Amino acid sequence: MIIRKADESDIPAVAQMAVIMWDSHTAEELFEMFAEIVGSDSGAVFVAEADNQPVGFAQCQLRHDYVEGTVSSPVGYLEGIFVMPQYRNRGYAKALLLQCEEWAKLKGCSEFASDCELDNSVSLDFHLNVGFTEANRIICFTKTL
């Protein structure tokens, strides 16, 4: 298993994986987003490799605004994590998360956070299994004016 920080050459593959997870976006939109993050000091993308190809990624960033359940700032934040279905349950996601946590520590963070949708039981189970503690549950509302 190889876990490494992504560079510009990884962006197309990461965007293609991300569109599977975030299907309300296009690969082009995600490509632009990851291009900004890879060149940023306040975010990072890590890639998991197997069989000489990318099979997963994790995106983390620094959040300076309030993060539910935390008391410090900035907070390292897991924005997204994805492993191709055929490579799941082999430790890739946990290894990606550990790289994000190490990155956040190097950026001066003493806390790390994440979130998932209320109905995403797979993500909830992952978070609880890798040491996260549930901080809060919310339902968000919108209204057209």
Side-chain angles (χ1 to χ4, degrees), residues 95-107:
L96 285 163
L97 172 64
L98 290 173
Q99 284 298 305
C100 289
E101 291 173 348
E102 285 303 313
W103 173 85
K105 286 179 194 174
L106 291 172
K107 293 291 184 178

Side-chain angles (χ1 to χ4, degrees), residues 66-107:
Y66 174 72
V67 175
E68 287 287 334
T70 65
V71 296
S72 63
S73 181
V75 172
Y77 206 89
L78 181 66
E79 301 289 350
I81 190 164
F82 178 83
V83 176
M84 296 295 287
Q86 62 270 34
Y87 291 92
R88 291 181 183 165
N89 300 311
R90 298 186 192 180
Y92 287 99
K94 186 174 184 178
L96 285 163
L97 172 64
L98 290 173
Q99 284 298 305
C100 289
E101 291 173 348
E102 285 303 313
W103 173 85
K105 286 179 194 174
L106 291 172
K107 293 291 184 178

Side-chain angles (χ1 to χ4, degrees), residues 2-116:
I2 297 172
I3 306 293
R4 60 179 176 74
K5 193 168 183 185
D7 61 32
E8 285 109 23
S9 69
D10 295 305
I11 296 171
V14 170
Q16 287 301 318
M17 288 186 282
V19 81
I20 297 168
M21 180 172 57
W22 294 317
D23 59 3
S24 63
H25 296 280
T26 66
E28 293 78 21
E29 290 171 330
L30 294 168
F31 181 97
E32 289 178 25
M33 181 188 76
F34 286 115
E36 282 184 34
I37 295 165
V38 166
S40 167
D41 229 15
S42 63
V45 177
F46 294 92
V47 174
E49 282 187 355
D51 305 321
N52 295 317
Q53 64 181 355
V55 299
F57 77 93
Q59 173 199 352
C60 53
Q61 290 191 230
L62 298 178
R63 288 204 179 179
H64 296 275
D65 53 331
Y66 174 72
V67 175
E68 287 287 334
T70 65
V71 296
S72 63
S73 181
V75 172
Y77 206 89
L78 181 66
E79 301 289 350
I81 190 164
F82 178 83
V83 176
M84 296 295 287
Q86 62 270 34
Y87 291 92
R88 291 181 183 165
N89 300 311
R90 298 186 192 180
Y92 287 99
K94 186 174 184 178
L96 285 163
L97 172 64
L98 290 173
Q99 284 298 305
C100 289
E101 291 173 348
E102 285 303 313
W103 173 85
K105 286 179 194 174
L106 291 172
K107 293 291 184 178
C109 297
S110 61
E111 294 179 285
F112 197 81
S114 184
D115 63 58
C116 72

